[in-house]
C-alpha cells in the first residue's frame, strides 16, 4: 500500500496531490476515480502517437495474451486462477461503467478460436481450468471447427472455446464521456511530461514540454508505450508493438454475434453494430518479430495488409467482397513478460505504474485503475495479483 501524503494547502498554484500521466483510457479511468478525493492534474501528452485507446476495436475479453493453461504452467494454477478472476472483474467493471455512462455495452461473450491442433489442445485444457474456476461452468463451451462453420464463426479453425462473460464497448465514446466527466474535477494539461529529481521532502517534480514544472506527491504513469519517456525505470520494461486494423463495408447479413480472438489473441475481429467487420492483428506466427519495436502509427504496412486480407479470405470468405473502407494502426505497450504493470515501481513508492497491457489494455485497465486508486489513497490493499506488481521485475 502506498498511501497519499497531502502536504500542500489546497489551491497552491502548480501543486497537486496526484499527477496522472497519459490521455488514454487508463489515465482517464484512474483520474476519474481519484478526482473527488485529491487535487489531480492529468497530463495527456502530445499529438502523436495517438492514444491506443482511440484505435481499439472495443473487444473486452477476460484473461491475457497467454491462455489460462499456459499461464498455469508458467506460474501455477493458483496464480493463473487469480489472474483469470482479476481480469474477469476488469471486464465486468468496464462493461458496468459503460452502462452507467449510457454507452450501451454489449455482453456478447467471445469465441477463442484455435488455428492448429497444438493450440486447440492448449485451449481445451484452458476450458477445463476455466470451468473449474467458474460458477456457471456449463456456459463455457468447447466446440469443434466443423461446428464453428455451421455457426458461421469462420472456417479453417481447429476448434473454439466460448467465454460468456466477454463483451464489446465503444472505446471512442468511453474516451469522450470520461474526458468530459473530468471537467471541473481535475486539471487537464495537453503536455508531455517527464519525472525529474524530487524535492528534499520527497515532493515529485514533473517537467513539461514548455519548460515549466509541476509539483505533486504521487505520480501515476499511464502513458502507454510513452511511459518509457516519463520515468527511466520503464525504459527496459516496455516495448512497443504496432497493431494494424481494417474495416470492411457493411456485410449483407449479420454473420457474427460475438467477437472472435485467434492465435493467442494476435488476431481479433467483430461485426460492429453498423454491420461492418472490424479486424485487428499484429505479429504473425511465422514472423513473430513483425511490427515489434515500431512506433510510427501513421503508416499502413502493405505487408501486414496482405497478410490480413489473406487471413480473411481463408477464414471468413466473402467479407472482403464488401471492400475495405478504413485502415489504421496503433501502438500497444507490451511488458517484458507480457503481463501488466500495476502498482509502485521498485525503489519509489510514489511512482505508480498503470501500463504494459500487451495489446489488451481495454479489457484490463478498469480493475487495474481501481487498484491503483486504492493504493494512491492508502485504502485497504487491493486484490491485485502479486505477479502484476512492478517489483516482480527485480
Ligand atoms: C489497433 C488496436 C486495436 C485494439 N483493440 C483492442 C481491443 O479490442 N480490446 C482490448 O482490450 N484492447 C485493444 N487494444 C489495446 C488497447 O487499446 C490499449 O491497450 C489501451 O487502450 C491502452 O490504454 P492506455 O491508456 O494505457 O494507453 P494509450 O491509450 O496508448 O494512452 C497513452 C497516453 O499517454 C500519453 N503520453 C505518452 N507519453 C506521454 C508523456 N511523456 N507525457 C504525458 N502523456 C504521455 C499519450 O499521448 C496517450 O494519450 C487495441 C489497440 C490497438 C492499437
Amino acid at each position: 500500500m502506498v498511501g497519499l501524503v497531502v502536504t500542500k494547502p489546497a489551491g497552491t498554484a502548480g501543486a497537486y496531490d496526484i499527477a496522472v500521466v497519459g490521455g488514454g483510457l487508463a489515465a482517464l479511468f484512474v483520474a476519474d476515480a481519484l478526482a473527488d478525493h485529491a487535487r489531480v492534474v492529468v497530463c495527456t501528452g502530445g499529438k502523436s502517437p495517438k492514444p491506443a485507446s482511440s484505435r481499439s476495436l472495443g473487444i473486452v475479453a477476460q484473461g491475457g495474451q497467454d491462455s489460462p493453461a499456459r499461464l498455469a504452467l508458467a506460474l501455477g494454477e493458483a496464480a493463473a486462477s487469480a489472474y483469470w478472476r482479476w481480469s474477469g472483474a476488469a471486464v465486468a467493471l468496464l462493461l458496468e461503467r459503460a452502462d452507467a455512462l449510457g454507452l450501451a455495452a454489449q455482453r456478447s461473450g467471445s469465441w477463442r478460436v484455435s488455428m492448429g491442433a497444438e493450440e486447440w489442445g492448449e485451449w481445451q485444457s484452458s476450458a477445463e481450468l476455466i470451468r473449474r474456476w467458474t460458477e456457471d461452468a456449463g456456459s463455457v463451451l468447447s466446440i469443434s471447427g466443423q461446428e464453428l462453420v455451421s455457426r458461421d464463426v469462420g472456417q479453417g479453425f481447429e476448434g473454439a472455446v466460448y467465454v460468456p462473460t466477454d463483451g464489446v464497448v465503444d472505446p471512442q465514446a468511453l474516451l469522450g464521456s470520461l474526458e468530459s466527466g473530468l471537467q471541473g474535477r481535475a486539471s487537464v494539461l495537453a503536455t508531455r511530461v517527464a519525472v525529474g529529481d524530487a524535492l528534499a521532502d520527497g515532493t515529485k517534480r514533473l517537467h513539461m514540454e514548455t519548460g515549466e514544472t509541476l509539483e505533486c506527491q504521487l505520480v501515476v504513469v499511464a502513458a502507454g508505450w510513452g511511459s518509457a519517456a516519463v520515468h527511466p525505470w520503464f525504459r527496459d520494461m516496455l516495448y512497443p508493438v504496432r497493431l494494424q486494423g481494417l474495416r470492411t463495408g457493411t456485410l449483407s447479413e449479420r454473420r457474427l454475434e460475438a467477437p472472435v480472438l485467434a492465435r493467442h489473441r494476435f488476431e481479433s475481429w467483430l461485426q460492429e453494430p453498423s454491420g461492418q467487420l472490424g479486424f485487428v492483428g499484429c505479429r504473425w506466427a511465422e514472423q513473430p518479430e513483425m511490427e515489434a519495436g515500431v512506433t510510427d502509427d501513421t503508416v499502413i504496412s502493405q505487408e501486414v495488409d496482405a497478410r490480413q486480407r489473406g487471413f480473411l479470405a481463408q477464414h471468413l470468405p466473402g467479407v472482403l467482397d464488401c471492400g475495405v473502407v478504413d485502415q489504421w494502426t496503433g501502438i500497444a505497450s507490451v511488458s517484458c513478460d507480457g503481463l501488466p504493470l500495476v502498482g509502485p515501481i521498485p525503489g519509489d513508492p510514489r511512482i505508480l505504474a498503470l501500463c504494459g497491457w500487451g495489446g489488451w489494455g481495454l479489457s484490463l485497465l478498469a480493475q487495474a485503475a481501481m487498484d491503483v486508486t486504492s493504493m494512491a489513497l492508502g485504502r485497504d490493499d487491493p486484490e491485485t495479483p502479486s505477479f502484476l506488481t512492478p517489483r516482480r521485475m527485480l
Side-chain angles (χ1 to χ4, degrees), residues 21-27 43-46 49-53 55-60 191-193 222-224 226-227 229-230 243-244 280 328-332 354 357 359-363 365:
V21 184
L25 282 169
C43 303
T44 60
K50 296 275 183 234
S53 302
R55 306 290 171 100
S56 164
L57 263 191
I59 302 170
V60 192
T191 177
R192 277 199 194 87
V193 290
S227 302
V230 176
L243 275 62
Q244 186 161 314
V280 161
W328 69 97
T329 57
I331 312 301
L354 186 62
W357 313 111
W360 285 90
L362 181 68
S363 305
L365 56 81

Side-chain angles (χ1 to χ4, degrees), residues 101-375:
L101 293 168
L103 302 177
Q106 294 169 43
R107 287 172 175 75
S108 51
S110 76
W111 293 102
R112 313 297 182 92
V113 299
S114 298
M115 311 285 294
E118 196 180 326
E119 191 186 351
W120 181 223
E122 188 177 320
W123 262 100
Q124 282 175 303
S125 309
S126 294
E128 277 168 36
L129 288 172
I130 296 170
R131 288 192 192 102
R132 208 147 66 210
W133 304 333
T134 308
E135 278 171 27
D136 187 11
S139 60
V140 180
L141 310 176
S142 292
I143 68 168
S144 69
Q146 204 45 46
E147 207 183 325
L148 279 174
V149 177
S150 62
R151 288 179 187 232
D152 219 3
V153 173
Q155 62 185 45
F157 301 116
E158 199 74 23
V161 171
Y162 176 75
V163 178
T165 40
D166 294 343
V168 181
V169 298
D170 177 346
Q172 293 281 5
L174 205 51
L175 272 170
S177 189
L178 287 168
E179 239 166 47
S180 53
L182 280 178
Q183 274 172 21
R185 297 169 61 223
S187 302
V188 179
L189 304 175
T191 177
R192 277 199 194 87
V193 290
V195 179
D197 291 338
L199 302 182
D201 66 356
T203 297
K204 294 287 176 201
R205 208 159 26 178
L206 299 188
H207 297 283
M208 297 191 262
E209 287 168 306
T210 54
E212 294 162 285
T213 55
L214 286 173
E215 288 173 16
C216 61
Q217 299 307 307
L218 210 70
V219 184
V220 178
V221 182
W225 152 241
S227 302
V230 176
H231 188 283
W233 184 81
F234 293 91
R235 266 177 219 155
D236 296 333
M237 299 299 156
L238 294 173
Y239 68 95
V241 173
R242 186 167 64 178
L243 275 62
Q244 186 161 314
L246 65 79
R247 182 168 286 116
T248 68
T250 306
L251 308 188
S252 57
E253 54 187 346
R254 180 137 289 277
R255 288 179 61 161
L256 283 172
E257 296 305 332
V260 185
L261 285 63
R263 193 150 40 196
H264 301 293
R265 299 165 85 124
F266 282 122
E267 278 82 50
S268 54
W269 59 94
L270 80 170
Q271 192 170 4
E272 297 174 335
S274 62
Q276 294 168 287
L277 185 98
F279 180 93
V280 161
C282 65
R283 297 180 296 164
W284 293 76
E286 62 275 27
Q287 204 178 336
E289 74 286 0
M290 196 173 188
E291 301 291 290
V294 181
T295 54
D296 184 348
D297 69 346
T298 60
V299 174
I300 301 298
S301 155
Q302 294 310 318
E303 204 180 347
V304 171
D305 178 55
R307 284 164 192 252
Q308 295 191 330
R309 287 173 194 254
F311 185 99
L312 286 171
Q314 185 185 354
H315 297 292
L316 291 166
V319 297
L320 288 174
D321 296 348
C322 308
V324 171
V325 297
D326 189 17
Q327 284 183 288
W328 69 97
T329 57
I331 312 301
S333 75
V334 183
S335 70
C336 312
D337 62 2
L339 291 167
L341 295 163
V342 183
I345 64 171
D348 196 338
R350 293 191 188 206
I351 305 280
L352 298 174
L354 186 62
C355 51
W357 313 111
W360 285 90
L362 181 68
S363 305
L364 300 169
L365 56 81
Q367 185 59 44
M370 289 312 107
D371 291 357
V372 162
T373 299
S374 298
M375 294 172 196

